[in-house]
Amino acid sequence: MAGRNGRPRSVSPMRTVAGQVFLLQVAIVVLLVASAMAVLVLQSRSDSEREARNRSVAVAETFAGAPGVEEALESPDPTAELQGPAEEARKRSGVDFIVVLNTDGIRYTHPLPDRIGKKFVGDLEPALEGRVVTEKITGTIGPLVQAQVPVTGRDGSVIGVVSAGITIEKVSGVVEEQIPLLFGAAAVVLLLATGGTALVSRRLRRQTRGLGPAEMTRMYEHHDAVLHAVREGVLIVGGDGRLLLANDEARRLLGLPNEVEGLHVTELGLDPRTAALLASGQDVTDEVHPVGDRLLAVNQRTTDQHGGPAGSVTTLRDTTELQALSGRADVARARLKLLYDAGTEIGTTLDVVRTCEELTEFAAARFADYATVDLVEAVLRSEEPTATGTGTGVDLRRVAFHGLGADTSLYPLGKTIRFVPSTPVGFSLGKGEAVLQAHLGSFTGWQEQDPDRARRLVEHGIHSMIAVPLRARGVILGLAIFWRSEKPEPFEEEDLSVAEELVARAAVSVDNARRYTREHTMAVTLQRSLLPRGLPEQNAVDVAYRYLPAQAGLGGLGGVGGDWFDIIPLPGARVALVVGDVVGHGLHAAATMGRLRTAVHNFSTLDLPPDELLWHLDELVARIDQDESGDDADAGVTGATCLYAIYDPVTGHCTMARAGHLQPAIVRPDGTTVLADVPGGPPLGLGGLPFETLDVRLPENSRLVLYTDGLVEDRDRDIDDGLALLLRTLADHADLTPEETCEEVLGALLPTRQRDDIALLVSRTRVLDSGRVAEWDVPHDPSAVAEVRASVTGKLAEWGLAEEAFTTELILSELVTNAIRYAAGPIRVRLIRDRSLICEVADGSSTSPHLRQAANTDEGGRGLFLVAQFADRWGTRYTGDGKVIWTEQPLPDGDAPPGPL
């Protein structure tokens, strides 16, 4: 039969150590159970007899001492007096009989009346002498125990005897009833003990691998031989810290005497650190401990991991010869770790100066005591350095410095340095190579850069230096210098290669940051040039705006996006408020934003209503996408949004339309804040759906707030929460100026890490005073022209603009005459005094007059030409029921009012 691990067994199961132990344990258990049962039976019988004696004595003594017994014995008929109480006492006490006797042994009472008066069977002499006697006899009712108790008179003499008896069977009945239970319990104990013995034997069989005594003896001899022959020290320490076993190699490595088993590990004379490790029992792997002139690699494991005894086993290996080699490997590993960490900690931002600071901070903490970086001025200006391999011909500026303290003689931050070509540093910089000065105290030429400063550096304790040019793409960007003062060991050749690798990685990051900064500056310049540079002059609204680009590194190119806004004055003292957003960041988004803003300006000159303007803008974007989609799939504009609103200060009405943009917020004078329910339209470029408008009246001093989604939406905040916060902020600060409102809104909603551009436009509405507007209805009769001229002349005189009357009469005469002659429907003239004098003639025709050059022989066609000559601007605005032809005339200096009258 195969044993464990496939090894054949040489003995039968019952001849193994485990089998023999099992048989022995089973025999012992059976013997113990049998002995216990015999003892229980004997004990039960002894207890039954003792119980019978105790009960009979107790009953007899109780009855003998009962009141009235003495008088009954002295009465003429004791039987009549005592038979009834004796029987009642017998029944209640559970004994078999209670017999009262006289001194002659004649019965006065008995459970069987026919035995009353007969002689008592038993020895009465001890009882008559005053003693209590018990005896075991076999009577007619079986084995029993009876007791005789004397009854004493008043004078102390014995006047009678009370005998009580009970059969042993009656007493032992309860115990005998428990005998089956006892045998059952014994059987259970036998089974449990046998099962436990089987489990113990099974585990012993597993631990002994089913081996017999001879095999175990042979195995122990082999293990003992291997333990002492192996060339690795082995120690076994118990849970109490005492040494249980040490093989020959362990004694040799630790220098232990022969008799050390049983001693505590702290008493072995070992190094305290080694002794503490052995006593602790903690797991260690290849932990090196010096013992004398040896270096021992210690491995230790606990012995109780799989149910074994408490303690630990320790192996010792002599690694003295490997230490030098492992030391060099550790140094190489540390340098690789240094360079790896440098790659993660240097160049985390696209900022030139910050990258240099990260290099100095890392080097001063991990490689040197002080570190400095000097950059070419052109690099700091984000320009392309022109010096290639001739670094000594340019000025370097110190941009980063880090070290143990600031009190050194090194050049300070901001210092402009030009290295002397004859010095080692200057020479190596010119060639673009690193230089090592291991011992600065020897003054091997490096001090010629600044002799006085060099002396102070050495006095300060700086003793070693490495200078490495920052070189990227064949161009020298600057110089990094590492200094040591507190670290006693000087820089070595191996340190030089580490420094070169460190600086090479930093140089790539510096060059990337420089190029990024250059491109970023160009993009920002382009974007800023496309955004409004100031507020146009107009009296319709008091307006303030904010534009915040996304933080660098978070939104594409950082700070360059497609959000835009505009304030466009329109004819009739009106103003257009625009805000838009182009999806994405970078130069393409900025350029697209500029194209859309220009298009909005161009369409606004046509004085189109908001929905028509957005329709034309949508068509333009769709054509741009079609033209550019073939060349670059990412060059399209699809995804741009826009909100266009026109406010008329004469009527107080605001007309708005949006293309995929967020609704504007309206703050009424009483502080009520709502989102304008502007009908939604698709983003620009999708096409296919018309745009709708919302016409709402805004009382004077209302706020109209336009914004882009970067204000209310963020990665950590839902857009609905942002809109709710915006409305609360506007409602809480409804009485502030537009400038103050911008500050409050940004203070409440600006994200900590802004990832998108933000455009915010806050306008406070004005309403032109009725005294600055005059209107007349014109009959459809040429003779009405004279009346209009007279009315206009009177109003201009009222306004103090009499000198403008001739020009205004000429313009209105031509416009009204054309309306009467060529147009239909009601004709209405409106005169507005704003920053300019505005004349408007409205009619019900949709036909617009055109300016043309009349020939010398033409009798007409010169009217609009004259209007264009005398007016500063003129044009046509279409309405729902016709058109309006308007003109603007400049007012004399000082006559244009600054705001509402």
Side-chain angles (χ1 to χ4, degrees):
M1 181 181 295
R4 286 182 179 268
N5 302 322
R7 186 174 56 83
R9 292 177 178 172
S10 58
V11 294
S12 65
M14 290 298 102
R15 295 186 60 187
T16 63
V17 173
Q20 294 176 11
V21 170
F22 174 73
L23 292 177
L24 178 61
Q25 288 180 334
V26 169
I28 293 174
V29 169
V30 171
L31 179 62
L32 290 176
V33 171
S35 300
M37 290 301 301
V39 171
L40 286 175
V41 172
L42 294 176
Q43 183 67 31
S44 174
R45 292 180 179 178
S46 176
D47 290 345
S48 298
E49 186 175 341
R50 186 183 305 109
E51 176 64 19
R53 291 178 186 277
N54 292 339
R55 189 182 298 185
S56 60
V57 170
V59 172
E61 287 180 341
T62 300
F63 194 84
V69 174
E70 180 181 352
E71 291 78 1
L73 289 174
E74 294 177 351
S75 68
D77 191 359
T79 299
E81 297 290 336
L82 296 175
Q83 176 66 16
E87 283 302 302
E88 183 178 358
R90 178 184 67 80
K91 294 176 181 179
R92 290 188 175 184
S93 63
V95 297
D96 289 303
F97 62 87
I98 296 178
V99 178
V100 181
L101 312 172
N102 61 13
T103 55
D104 296 328
I106 301 301
R107 301 186 180 99
Y108 286 149
T109 65
H110 196 279
L112 301 176
D114 59 344
R115 297 188 182 186
I116 297 176
K118 295 182 178 180
K119 186 75 172 179
F120 176 76
V121 179
D123 186 9
L124 294 179
E125 290 300 326
L128 296 176
E129 293 176 356
R131 292 180 294 169
V132 176
V133 180
T134 61
E135 57 183 345
K136 180 179 179 183
I137 64 173
T138 301
T140 58
I141 58 177
L144 57 87
V145 175
Q146 64 180 9
Q148 293 91 34
V149 176
V151 181
T152 59
R154 296 182 181 87
D155 57 357
S157 61
V158 176
I159 61 175
V161 177
V162 177
S163 175
I166 186 172
T167 59
I168 294 177
E169 181 182 0
K170 181 177 291 188
V171 176
S172 62
V174 176
V175 176
E176 291 176 354
E177 290 176 359
Q178 297 178 353
I179 291 297
L181 178 63
L182 294 177
F183 275 104
V188 172
V189 171
L190 179 60
L191 291 176
L192 292 177
T194 304
T197 301
L199 292 176
V200 172
S201 299
R202 181 179 179 182
R203 180 165 185 175
L204 182 61
R205 186 183 307 112
R206 184 170 61 251
Q207 292 178 343
T208 60
R209 302 294 193 271
L211 299 178
E215 283 190 327
M216 290 194 64
T217 302
R218 185 164 57 254
M219 182 181 67
Y220 171 77
E221 292 174 350
H222 290 167
H223 287 186
D224 188 64
V226 171
L227 182 66
H228 292 283
V230 69
R231 303 311 299 168
E232 188 170 279
V234 179
L235 298 174
I236 299 179
V237 179
D240 57 355
R242 296 186 177 276
L243 183 64
L244 301 180
L245 182 146
N247 70 344
D248 296 342
E249 184 66 10
R251 297 173 190 272
R252 184 184 71 83
L253 293 176
L254 299 178
L256 300 177
N258 292 330
E259 302 298 330
V260 292
E261 284 79 3
L263 296 179
H264 198 275
V265 292
T266 58
E267 302 173 357
L268 300 180
L270 302 176
D271 178 82
R273 177 166 168 261
T274 305
L277 174 62
L278 296 177
S280 68
Q282 66 181 5
D283 291 355
V284 296
T285 301
D286 288 337
E287 187 173 299
V288 178
H289 285 252
V291 177
D293 57 349
R294 295 187 178 94
L295 290 175
L296 302 183
V298 180
N299 290 272
Q300 185 168 278
R301 296 291 184 272
T302 58
T303 57
D304 58 355
Q305 296 179 358
H306 302 289
S312 61
V313 57
T314 306
T315 61
L316 310 172
R317 187 174 67 256
D318 192 350
T319 62
T320 306
E321 297 179 355
L322 300 177
Q323 188 61 27
L325 180 60
S326 63
R328 288 193 294 271
D330 290 341
V331 171
R333 189 181 303 109
R335 287 176 175 170
L336 289 175
K337 180 68 166 54
L338 175 72
L339 295 176
Y340 173 79
D341 292 342
T344 60
E345 298 182 25
I346 299 174
T348 60
T349 65
L350 289 173
D351 182 86
V352 172
V353 176
R354 180 55 194 156
T355 301
C356 295
E357 291 173 348
E358 290 174 345
L359 172 60
T360 57
E361 292 168 2
F362 181 85
R366 304 279 297 273
F367 181 65
D369 296 319
Y370 296 91
T372 62
V373 175
D374 310 314
L375 291 183
V376 178
E377 292 284 356
V379 176
L380 294 175
R381 295 192 299 268
S382 303
E383 299 173 359
E384 190 76 26
T386 56
T388 304
T390 56
T392 55
V394 295
D395 292 334
L396 304 180
R397 183 179 298 277
R398 181 143 295 176
V399 297
F401 171 86
H402 200 80
L404 300 176
D407 185 18
T408 66
S409 296
L410 297 171
Y411 289 121
L413 284 175
K415 173 71 174 179
T416 300
I417 310 169
R418 176 167 293 191
F419 288 94
V420 178
S422 61
T423 62
V425 174
F427 181 76
S428 63
L429 181 61
K431 297 181 62 179
E433 298 176 352
V435 61
L436 166 65
Q437 292 287 313
H439 303 284
L440 296 179
S442 59
F443 297 105
T444 55
W446 67 274
Q447 74 281 1
E448 295 179 7
Q449 176 70 29
D450 192 335
D452 183 59
R453 188 180 297 273
R455 179 182 52 80
R456 294 198 306 271
L457 281 175
V458 175
E459 291 175 354
H460 185 76
I462 296 178
H463 58 80
S464 187
M465 177 265 289
I466 291 179
V468 183
L470 277 82
R471 190 184 184 101
R473 296 182 298 111
V475 176
I476 294 178
L477 308 177
L479 180 69
I481 307 179
F482 308 104
W483 317 79
R484 277 189 179 174
S485 61
E486 297 297 323
K487 293 181 175 64
E489 62 277 5
F491 286 119
E492 302 174 350
E493 289 294 332
E494 293 182 354
D495 295 320
L496 183 62
S497 61
V498 173
E500 289 176 329
E501 181 66 24
L502 197 63
V503 173
R505 299 188 180 195
V508 173
S509 298
V510 169
D511 188 54
N512 288 339
R514 177 194 63 78
R515 298 171 66 185
Y516 166 81
T517 303
R518 182 181 181 185
E519 295 177 5
H520 173 64
T521 302
M522 295 171 59
V524 169
T525 301
L526 171 63
Q527 183 195 37
R528 297 296 183 185
S529 67
L530 298 175
L531 289 173
R533 299 188 179 182
L535 297 176
E537 294 183 354
Q538 47 83 32
N539 287 335
V541 292
D542 181 13
V543 68
Y545 65 89
R546 293 290 186 274
Y547 178 81
L548 299 178
Q551 295 182 14
L554 298 180
L557 200 53
V560 180
D563 291 18
W564 94 90
F565 62 93
D566 232 324
I567 305 102
I568 306 173
L570 297 178
R574 298 168 304 141
V575 67
L577 304 174
V578 191
V579 66
D581 185 3
V582 175
V583 175
H585 294 82
L587 286 173
H588 176 68
T592 301
M593 176 267 292
R595 298 166 75 177
L596 295 183
R597 180 169 177 257
T598 301
V600 171
H601 269 270
N602 292 335
F603 291 140
S604 67
T605 60
L606 300 177
D607 212 348
L608 299 173
D611 55 339
E612 291 187 25
L613 185 141
L614 291 182
W615 184 84
H616 286 289
L617 193 62
D618 181 69
E619 287 290 314
L620 174 64
V621 171
R623 287 197 301 270
I624 293 176
D625 284 340
Q626 291 176 1
D627 294 340
E628 296 183 349
S629 60
D631 299 332
D632 186 359
D634 297 330
V637 191
T638 301
T641 65
C642 183
L643 173 65
Y644 189 83
I646 298 177
Y647 175 69
D648 188 348
V650 177
T651 63
H653 279 263
C654 182
T655 306
M656 297 173 277
R658 63 189 180 103
H661 205 80
L662 296 174
Q663 299 98 328
I666 297 177
V667 184
R668 301 193 181 276
D670 60 357
T672 304
T673 305
V674 295
L675 291 176
D677 191 15
V678 183
L684 299 174
L686 296 183
L689 293 175
F691 298 98
E692 301 180 45
T693 60
L694 172 69
D695 190 3
V696 61
R697 188 180 184 280
L698 299 179
E700 189 170 10
N701 290 325
S702 297
R703 270 72 168 180
L704 182 62
V705 181
L706 285 68
Y707 52 89
T708 56
D709 58 357
L711 179 68
V712 295
E713 187 178 18
D714 186 61
R715 178 174 297 179
D716 301 323
R717 179 177 62 203
D718 187 72
I719 189 170
D720 292 333
D721 298 333
L723 290 173
L725 179 59
L726 173 63
L727 293 180
R728 289 198 303 269
T729 304
L730 293 174
D732 294 341
H733 303 89
D735 56 342
L736 299 182
T737 65
E739 283 288 343
E740 294 169 339
T741 302
C742 286
E743 292 298 327
E744 293 295 337
V745 168
L746 291 180
L749 281 87
L750 187 64
T752 303
R753 295 175 63 81
Q754 182 188 340
R755 299 178 179 272
D756 196 5
D757 306 327
I758 293 176
L760 174 64
L761 191 63
V762 179
S763 58
R764 180 173 57 188
T765 61
R766 297 172 177 173
V767 176
L768 292 182
D769 188 85
S770 59
R772 297 172 60 180
V773 180
E775 295 183 276
W776 299 274
D777 291 325
V778 181
H780 208 73
D781 186 353
S783 62
V785 177
E787 297 177 5
V788 172
R789 285 202 302 264
S791 299
V792 169
T793 301
K795 180 56 70 174
L796 292 178
E798 180 184 336
W799 287 347
L801 300 174
E803 63 275 14
E804 299 295 324
F806 175 76
T807 304
T808 305
E809 288 180 9
L810 179 63
I811 292 174
L812 284 176
S813 295
E814 178 61 29
L815 296 181
V816 172
T817 300
N818 282 343
I820 293 173
R821 180 178 299 175
Y822 301 110
I827 302 172
R828 190 171 184 81
V829 173
R830 185 168 68 171
L831 201 63
I832 302 173
R833 182 191 177 195
D834 193 43
R835 293 183 178 271
S836 61
L837 183 61
I838 302 171
C839 300
E840 294 182 347
V841 177
D843 58 54
S845 173
S846 60
T847 302
S848 176
H850 296 282
L851 179 66
R852 65 186 180 88
Q853 185 71 41
N856 294 333
T857 59
D858 290 342
E859 295 182 0
R862 296 177 176 83
L864 282 182
F865 181 79
L866 293 176
V867 171
Q869 295 299 314
F870 286 102
D872 190 37
R873 296 171 59 213
W874 77 278
T876 303
R877 177 171 75 252
Y878 292 95
T879 63
D881 53 1
K883 67 177 181 298
V884 174
I885 301 178
W886 55 269
T887 66
E888 291 184 3
Q889 300 167 236
L891 295 178
D893 294 341
D895 288 339
L901 295 177

